Amino acid sequence: MAAAPAKPAAPFDLAKTPAADWHALDPENTVYLHIPQGRVVIELAPAFAPNHVANIKALVRSHYFDDSFIVRAQDNYVVQWSAPETRKLTAGHDPLKAEFDKLIGAEPFTPLADRDTYAPQVGFSGDFPAARDPKAHRTWLTHCYGMVGAARDEGADTGSGKELYAVIGQSPRNLDRNVTLVGRVVQGIELLSVLPRGTGDLGFYKTDPERTHILKVQMAADLPAADRMPLEVLKTGSPSFQAFVQSRRFRQESWYKYSSGHIGVCNIALPVRLKP
Amino acid sequence: MAAAPAKPAAPFDLAKTPAADWHALDPENTVYLHIPQGRVVIELAPAFAPNHVANIKALVRSHYFDDSFIVRAQDNYVVQWSAPETRKLTAGHDPLKAEFDKLIGAEPFTPLADRDTYAPQVGFSGDFPAARDPKAHRTWLTHCYGMVGAARDEGADTGSGKELYAVIGQSPRNLDRNVTLVGRVVQGIELLSVLPRGTGDLGFYKTDPERTHILKVQMAADLPAADRMPLEVLKTGSPSFQAFVQSRRFRQESWYKYSSGHIGVCNIALPVRLKP
């Protein structure tokens, strides 16, 4: 474990970061989920779950998720959505082989010096919190707040992305390597996190009227550019990201009287902004 | 760091734990917060914040919190409540000296073998998640989901318990040793975690109608025994607690395909039940 880096000399100001340290969301990997309360923006993670991501895109483009429902809200855990069980697939596949983890490859990885309870090493890969086991040469995405996964049944290979969930509480890291994570909510998680908790087993709603209606789900790429949310994400390989993380380890605001000098991978909310 | 304990031989069944491994909540340290949606039960932590706890009891018993409001809901962070600023104290004190941490003393401590990002050692002290720095002989409560703290202004000694918050998201451990934690929500956190997020700075509500009304706040001890919630908490010093924690490190349910063998202090939801 590397020693924690030193306290920064000057406060970090996100507004002063260079434009080159931000990147626009790729519309080909951005999903809009429309509920009556507003739009939830999800960034997909093809580097970690290529087959699930391709499948979700096929499902979205075949309108599989239009007129579907949020069927579960379990406190301090997840919100989950799916189409009625009677709906037939007109594109895509179900089920798919699990993509719980993968061999370490060419995907980027910015490690954190901070120790983690669950994994030998944590950090960010592209726009996603991730972990590595260098000895076993494996890497996987981590279940932080806002991460989106493909729900499955008993068997490992029973998910497909046609039923999805988002994390709305303390990071359930025990799910790491047990579910295929497919992306994360980059905007609008607060529309999901406030949904009334279901009173059935595992937070499933007992009655249909309790469910939230999903009006439609779209790929950003399929909308005219003017109708897309022009969101940018701080590049996790950039110097600005390093300075940002350091500012979370050592808080410069005078309100803070103590800093541990450490930060958890799930306590780093990757900065997202509207393109200036 | 101790090695992670071995995988348990048999599944753990909470229903089969002996009655002696549970204890009833102490009504003298149990607060009922009544909102239109229901009752929130808070257990106070006098071992860590004796002055704040005594003050909160004095405030509750002087009806300071009756007819007050939830004034803030910040996503993935906290819900906060307080009386209108014009209300005068008729009992208790404001402000109080901070109780951020304390010398390790006679309070119980059940350490976890698992490593933690923020502290040299974590575990449970009585019914609360806690951390220790053995070298510095200090101990403190940790900001896990449902923990309740005394909001403060810029200065360390500006809180008193007359404004309180509960954690409703990923554990903001950067607040550890920066705020006096006074207890935790043992029942009803889901009534707070679903409140609409405020759209003002830090999640404060911009308008009065957005606030949730707190009808009254009572000490359980001041109610007839028949009107109290007969809640019991698993004793953190008991063999059943050790078995429970181990069952969270190594999940026995066949749904799980992988276990890390580790558990975070904020991922252990201390079991609470109605007295059988």
Side-chain angles (χ1 to χ4, degrees):
Chain A
M1 190 61 51
K7 186 166 177 165
F12 172 73
D13 186 350
L14 200 62
K16 291 186 178 155
T17 50
D21 285 356
W22 296 78
H23 77 88
L25 282 185
D26 173 7
E28 272 296 340
N29 284 307
T30 303
V31 174
Y32 297 148
L33 184 145
H34 296 270
I35 59 177
Q37 295 88 331
R39 168 151 58 171
V40 178
V41 181
I42 297 167
E43 178 182 9
L44 298 173
F48 284 82
N51 298 331
H52 281 71
V53 165
N55 204 46
I56 289 167
K57 288 187 196 182
L59 292 170
V60 167
R61 285 178 161 142
S62 70
H63 302 281
Y64 178 79
F65 293 108
D66 296 358
D67 191 22
S68 62
F69 295 93
I70 294 170
V71 295
R72 175 189 187 192
Q74 185 171 1
D75 195 60
N76 193 19
Y77 201 44
V78 297
V79 157
Q80 191 165 316
W81 59 95
S82 58
E85 281 187 19
T86 51
R87 187 167 302 173
K88 297 275 189 294
L89 263 59
T90 60
H93 303 277
D94 178 51
L96 284 182
K97 266 192 88 69
E99 296 173 292
F100 294 162
D101 60 9
K102 59 177 292 237
L103 266 178
I104 291 174
E107 72 286 337
F109 189 71
T110 301
L112 293 175
D114 314 84
R115 65 186 191 173
D116 179 72
T117 300
Y118 293 87
Q121 190 177 51
V122 288
F124 279 78
S125 181
D127 297 348
F128 301 95
R132 282 187 167 194
D133 181 345
K135 280 187 199 159
H137 304 288
R138 306 298 294 181
T139 184
W140 59 94
L141 298 179
T142 55
H143 274 82
C144 297
Y145 194 84
M147 289 296 284
V148 175
R152 65 165 171 86
D153 296 327
E154 182 82 9
D157 302 329
T158 57
S160 68
K162 77 173 191 173
E163 186 146 6
L164 294 165
Y165 65 88
V167 172
I168 58 153
Q170 168 69 18
S171 48
R173 296 284 306 281
N174 56 302
L175 296 180
D176 291 359
R177 310 180 86 175
N178 277 298
V179 194
T180 301
L181 284 169
V182 301
R184 72 181 182 100
V185 175
V186 290
Q187 190 174 77
I189 185 70
E190 72 283 1
L191 303 179
L192 301 179
S193 59
V194 299
L195 293 176
R197 307 321 188 207
T199 54
D201 285 348
L202 305 175
F204 280 92
Y205 294 117
K206 281 182 176 167
T207 65
D208 286 357
E210 295 173 272
R211 305 176 311 178
T212 295
H213 193 193
I214 295 174
L215 308 169
K216 60 182 174 181
V217 177
Q218 302 171 299
M219 297 305 305
D222 297 346
L223 272 70
D227 294 342
R228 297 177 199 153
M229 293 287 285
L231 294 175
E232 294 187 334
V233 179
L234 190 65
K235 291 180 186 170
T236 56
S238 71
S240 293
F241 179 75
Q242 289 297 336
F244 168 70
V245 170
Q246 193 64 346
S247 77
R248 310 314 283 177
R249 291 192 185 103
F250 294 97
R251 302 295 289 245
Q252 298 293 298
E253 304 92 325
S254 58
W255 186 90
Y256 282 89
K257 309 308 173 191
Y258 169 83
S259 283
S260 71
H262 305 291
I263 188 77
V265 65
C266 288
N267 288 81
I268 296 170
L270 190 56
V272 174
R273 68 177 186 188
L274 280 171
K275 187 176 161 66
Chain B
M1 190 62 51
K7 185 166 177 165
F12 172 74
D13 186 350
L14 200 61
K16 292 189 179 151
T17 50
D21 285 356
W22 296 78
H23 76 89
L25 282 185
D26 173 6
E28 272 297 339
N29 284 307
T30 304
V31 174
Y32 297 150
L33 185 145
H34 297 271
I35 59 176
Q37 295 89 333
R39 169 152 58 173
V40 178
V41 180
I42 297 168
E43 178 182 10
L44 298 172
F48 283 83
N51 299 330
H52 282 71
V53 165
N55 205 46
I56 289 166
K57 289 187 196 182
L59 292 170
V60 168
R61 288 181 158 139
S62 71
H63 300 281
Y64 178 80
F65 293 109
D66 296 358
D67 191 23
S68 63
F69 294 93
I70 294 170
V71 295
R72 176 188 185 192
Q74 184 170 1
D75 196 61
N76 192 20
Y77 201 44
V78 297
V79 157
Q80 190 166 318
W81 59 95
S82 58
E85 282 187 20
T86 51
R87 187 166 302 173
K88 296 276 187 293
L89 263 59
T90 60
H93 302 278
D94 178 52
L96 284 182
K97 268 193 86 70
E99 296 173 292
F100 294 162
D101 60 8
K102 58 176 291 235
L103 266 177
I104 291 174
E107 72 286 338
F109 189 71
T110 302
L112 293 174
D114 315 84
R115 65 187 191 173
D116 180 73
T117 300
Y118 293 87
Q121 190 178 49
V122 288
F124 279 79
S125 181
D127 297 347
F128 302 95
R132 282 187 167 194
D133 181 344
K135 280 187 200 160
H137 304 290
R138 306 297 293 179
T139 184
W140 59 93
L141 298 179
T142 56
H143 275 82
C144 297
Y145 194 83
M147 288 295 284
V148 175
R152 65 165 173 85
D153 296 328
E154 182 81 9
D157 301 328
T158 57
S160 67
K162 77 173 193 174
E163 186 145 6
L164 294 164
Y165 65 88
V167 171
I168 58 154
Q170 168 70 17
S171 49
R173 296 283 306 280
N174 55 302
L175 296 181
D176 290 359
R177 310 180 85 176
N178 277 298
V179 194
T180 301
L181 284 169
V182 300
R184 72 183 184 98
V185 176
V186 290
Q187 190 175 76
I189 185 70
E190 72 283 0
L191 304 179
L192 301 179
S193 59
V194 299
L195 293 175
R197 306 321 189 207
T199 54
D201 286 349
L202 305 175
F204 281 91
Y205 294 117
K206 281 182 176 167
T207 64
D208 286 355
E210 294 173 273
R211 304 176 310 176
T212 296
H213 194 193
I214 295 174
L215 308 170
K216 61 182 173 181
V217 177
Q218 302 171 300
M219 297 306 305
D222 297 347
L223 271 71
D227 293 343
R228 297 178 199 153
M229 294 286 286
L231 294 175
E232 294 187 333
V233 179
L234 191 65
K235 291 180 186 170
T236 56
S238 70
S240 293
F241 180 76
Q242 289 297 335
F244 168 71
V245 170
Q246 193 63 348
S247 77
R248 311 315 282 177
R249 290 192 186 102
F250 294 98
R251 302 295 291 245
Q252 298 294 298
E253 304 93 326
S254 58
W255 185 89
Y256 281 89
K257 309 307 174 192
Y258 169 81
S259 283
S260 71
H262 305 290
I263 188 76
V265 66
C266 289
N267 287 80
I268 296 170
L270 188 57
V272 174
R273 68 176 185 188
L274 280 171
K275 187 178 162 61

